[in-house]
Amino acid sequence: MEWILENLPHILELTLDHLLLSAPAVLAAFLLSLPLGRLAVRLPRLREPLVGGIGLLYAIPSLPLFIVLPLILGTSIREPLNAVVALTLFGLALMVRSAADAFGSVEEDVRLAAVAVGHSAGGRFLTVELPLAGPALLAGLRVVSVSTISLVSVSAVLGVTSLGSLFTDGFERGIVAAIVAGIVTTAALALVLDLLLVALGRVLMPWRRPVPRRSASRSAEKGAA
Amino acid sequence: MIEFRQVSKTYPDGTAAVEDFSLTVPSHTTTVLLGSSGCGKTTLLRMVNRMVEPTAGSVRIDDVDVATVRPVALRRSIGYVMQNSGLMPHRRVVEDIATVPRLNGVPRAEARRRAMELMEVVGLDPQLARRHPGQLSGGQQQRVGVARALADDPNILLMDEPFGAVDPLVRLELQRELRRLQDDLRKTIVFVTHDIDEALALGDQIVVLRPGGRTAQVGTPRELVEAPADDFVSRFLGLGEGRRKLRAAPRPGGGQVVTDDAGRPLGVLDDADGGPSADAGE
């Protein structure tokens, strides 16, 4: 405990590093998954190769990927960009399937109605399909967010600073408090981001909240009268 | 006026949904496409707003081939009501009704004002405006669907079994309201249904369809009942099974009791010629 208090500024700094590695990766994985997931629904034949193929990325062991990527990207192994790209690929591997399922869950009737009232293809995607796929997208995004935050730690082995550095340092120097602080802070960060995503979902998708039963039935009576 | 000129729709796998179908839908009237499922009636309806492209023939609106109009612009100029309302689960009622005016560039406030007006026109409590469709009854949802279709005052209204999913009492009420609306608005309506009673109640012109989108008979409700073209039409109207064969018998209080072929009472017929006890039942 004493160690933690003494090193609090350091831990906070590492938390920020951790966040700066994971947040861009989660966001990039999310944004990339949208067109891919939509494409998978539009072209059912492409679905399995696309979703399954990208999903296989997750089978690549993380450490080798962190090491191989610099060769492809021309970055140095300790550069944060290297870690962000690797994390994005892992996030994408999870998120593409969620996105394909999410867009597939938009009811055909609603999609047809959106066509019938005269939405353009782009307008339909942005104003109808995306919001309606939202709940399922959010579910996938939460998984990606949590898994990315835990995965960031691995990059510490290569010397990219993050909360993972608390494990590597703590292990080398035999400071148990550092290891415990690393675990607790990583979990706390994952939890906070998860809660933020849930809150964001509530704000952006208000139609999912059930109305209080009493007021719903009261207005229904009025409507019928 | 909408004209179907020898339209066909054959899908890549060879099934023909519609074959060589021709029809003129006069302006300001209701034409009902009547047939059982799989007869191509929805396919025909969707050819009007280019949700389905015919593989042969053409559809013309006021002598313009719809194939020459951009689909998005075309759809924004035609009202469309579908079964299960097709409302947007994520939009509030008032936003959903305002969709087409908004797409056509009407400012938000103006579109909302119009949407509120339309809620009144279709008999919806304005308090429901801020609800999401999941919080409405089936009948209310269909009213919203109708309001949305009417929102930008289109000349043409396409209705695809709009009252198919609501219970019979609500359906009757919605049919009555549609007749009232049509008396005021005089739209050109193409209405798809498999319900013969609905067709007789709403159609100025009824098209009875055989499987494969072939016309069995076109006529007014009265023409169909008076002179069905063949057995198929006769069976479809239920003429053969005594459902439309009515009997009248004098009633003790005056007038006549009308029963169906099986003797079940349907209603009372007043003596129209002002017979001795015409008002006795009142």
Side-chain angles (χ1 to χ4, degrees):
Chain A
M1 198 67 208
E2 205 176 309
W3 184 92
I4 291 172
L5 288 175
E6 273 168 21
N7 290 276
L8 207 52
H10 179 57
I11 294 174
L12 285 178
E13 202 179 304
L14 290 177
T15 307
L16 188 65
D17 288 340
H18 203 95
L19 194 63
L20 288 179
L21 287 172
S22 45
V26 172
L27 190 67
F30 179 69
L31 291 179
L32 286 172
S33 75
L34 296 181
L36 291 169
R38 184 64 188 86
L39 193 69
V41 171
R42 192 193 163 90
L43 305 170
R45 271 191 223 160
L46 217 66
R47 187 193 151 96
E48 260 327 292
L50 197 71
V51 171
I54 294 173
L56 276 181
L57 285 175
Y58 210 75
I60 305 173
S62 52
L63 212 48
L65 184 63
F66 280 115
I67 295 165
V68 169
L69 265 183
L71 300 177
I72 302 168
L73 296 174
T75 49
S76 92
I77 203 161
R78 293 188 180 192
E79 229 170 287
L81 179 66
N82 182 31
V84 170
V85 172
L87 293 166
T88 301
L89 289 178
F90 286 125
L92 193 60
L94 291 176
M95 194 61 211
V96 164
R97 191 172 289 276
S98 297
D101 290 346
F103 287 116
S105 75
V106 177
E107 267 180 68
E108 184 61 11
D109 265 0
V110 174
R111 211 185 56 76
L112 275 175
V115 174
V117 295
H119 281 293
S120 61
R124 203 164 69 225
F125 177 78
L126 286 176
T127 65
V128 177
E129 294 179 7
L130 192 59
L132 289 178
L137 286 173
L138 179 66
L141 185 61
R142 289 174 64 186
V143 173
V144 171
S145 156
V146 168
S147 91
T148 302
I149 285 171
S150 80
L151 206 53
V152 169
S153 312
V154 176
S155 62
V157 177
L158 309 169
V160 182
T161 34
S162 70
L163 285 171
S165 311
L166 289 175
F167 306 132
T168 48
D169 288 0
F171 194 69
E172 273 169 26
R173 293 154 61 194
I175 309 170
V176 178
I179 298 174
V180 172
I183 293 171
V184 171
T185 319
T186 306
L189 186 63
L191 184 69
V192 168
L193 280 193
D194 193 48
L195 290 176
L196 274 178
L197 286 177
V198 172
L200 199 65
R202 288 245 172 98
V203 173
L204 292 179
M205 299 180 276
W207 68 92
R208 297 180 62 215
R209 248 172 313 177
V211 278
R213 190 161 271 280
R214 203 161 44 97
S215 81
S217 64
R218 199 178 52 214
S219 68
E221 271 162 36
K222 260 188 210 151
Chain B
M1 185 174 69
I2 307 170
E3 275 176 284
F4 294 87
R5 289 197 184 168
Q6 298 183 302
V7 289
S8 299
K9 177 69 187 181
T10 311
Y11 286 98
D13 66 357
T15 48
V18 173
E19 271 181 283
D20 195 26
F21 177 90
S22 295
L23 175 73
T24 301
V25 177
S27 297
H28 312 300
T29 63
T30 303
T31 292
V32 175
L33 303 179
L34 174 66
S36 30
S37 56
C39 74
K41 52 196 193 299
T42 296
T43 305
L44 285 168
L45 190 77
R46 289 184 178 163
M47 283 180 184
V48 177
N49 72 351
R50 292 191 68 185
M51 285 172 75
V52 171
E53 303 284 353
T55 38
S58 65
V59 177
R60 304 172 82 85
I61 297 177
D62 296 333
D63 272 324
V64 176
D65 187 340
V66 295
T68 63
V69 186
R70 267 191 344 118
V72 167
L74 181 70
R75 290 171 197 148
R76 289 177 190 178
S77 72
I78 296 177
Y80 194 100
V81 188
M82 46 198 283
Q83 194 176 4
N84 301 323
S85 77
L87 299 183
M88 300 292 141
H90 61 303
R91 287 197 189 137
R92 295 181 193 284
V93 165
V94 61
E95 294 164 0
D96 210 347
I97 297 175
T99 303
V100 181
R102 290 290 292 141
L103 288 172
N104 283 334
V106 175
R108 184 182 297 268
E110 165 69 10
R112 270 175 178 263
R113 196 187 54 74
R114 233 185 266 178
M116 295 303 293
E117 261 173 38
L118 270 159
M119 286 188 72
E120 207 156 315
V121 170
V122 301
L124 280 168
D125 185 334
Q127 293 212 316
L128 299 174
R130 303 213 18 96
R131 294 256 175 257
H132 288 107
Q135 303 159 349
L136 303 180
S137 71
Q140 289 169 339
Q141 290 185 15
Q142 290 309 127
R143 285 172 197 261
V144 175
V146 173
R148 180 175 68 184
L150 290 172
D152 214 31
D153 201 19
N155 292 322
I156 297 172
L157 207 53
L158 306 177
M159 308 185 85
D160 188 0
E161 305 212 24
F163 310 140
V166 295
D167 70 66
L169 274 179
V170 176
R171 189 181 316 159
L172 284 178
E173 164 146 7
L174 289 171
Q175 289 169 1
R176 220 171 16 240
E177 294 249 353
L178 181 63
R179 271 207 306 266
R180 176 184 62 80
L181 273 177
Q182 175 64 346
D183 285 345
D184 290 349
L185 303 174
R186 313 256 304 135
K187 303 290 182 192
T188 305
I189 298 180
V190 184
F191 191 107
V192 161
T193 185
H194 60 256
D195 179 344
I196 168 67
D197 293 305
E198 189 162 74
L200 293 176
L202 295 175
D204 297 311
Q205 169 179 256
I206 298 177
V207 182
V208 184
L209 291 166
R210 292 177 205 281
R214 283 166 302 130
T215 311
Q217 188 173 1
V218 182
T220 63
R222 182 159 190 164
E223 282 164 0
L224 292 186
V225 175
E226 274 178 1
D230 55 21
D231 268 6
F232 177 83
V233 177
S234 179
R235 266 203 319 276
F236 205 97
L237 298 182
L239 294 177
E241 56 197 56
R243 205 158 78 93
R244 309 226 168 257
K245 230 176 239 160
L246 308 179
R247 293 166 197 277
R251 197 169 73 131
Q256 314 253 327
V257 176
V258 179
T259 61
D260 67 7
D261 211 28
R264 276 187 287 267
L266 295 173
V268 176
L269 195 66
D270 284 334
D271 290 322
D273 53 334
S277 46
D279 57 352
E282 294 303 308

